[in-house]
Amino acid sequence: MKVTDKEDRFWFFLEDGIDFYIDVYCNVSAFGFSMLIKLNKEESESYRISGHEFLKELARDIQYYSQSKYKDRHTSGEIGKIAHDAIVAFNKKNRP
């Protein structure tokens, strides 16, 4: 898995073979957390068509609806750890 796009302090986009994931920083009240969402078929197609602009819109939607529309799509476990490790490695490599 590797990070292929990002918005500073907001989201990371990751690719793992044919699968795409977006890791979005969300806030609810005083609590901040990250949500890792695997893109579904329609979202993947929209990404292929519109690229970064689609990801910005999707990240805003995830942030706003994190506790409703996207709550059950949060990915954790082994995939979550792999994504986290890829983000840490990306940040280390791209540190100024």
Side-chain angles (χ1 to χ4, degrees), residues 7 12 14 20 22 29 39 46 50-51 64 83-84 88 94-95:
E7 285 278 329
F12 290 92
L14 302 102
F20 301 116
I22 189 165
S29 298
L39 274 64
S46 293
S50 300
Y64 189 80
H84 174 77
V88 168
N94 294 287
R95 200 177 288 164

Side-chain angles (χ1 to χ4, degrees), residues 25-37:
Y25 182 73
C26 302
N27 280 311
V28 175
S29 298
F31 300 99
F33 56 94
S34 183
M35 286 195 77
L36 179 65
I37 304 293

Side-chain angles (χ1 to χ4, degrees), residues 19-20 40-41 45 63 86-87:
D19 294 324
F20 301 116
N40 61 30
K41 185 178 179 179
E45 186 60 28
Q63 189 177 54
I87 291 168

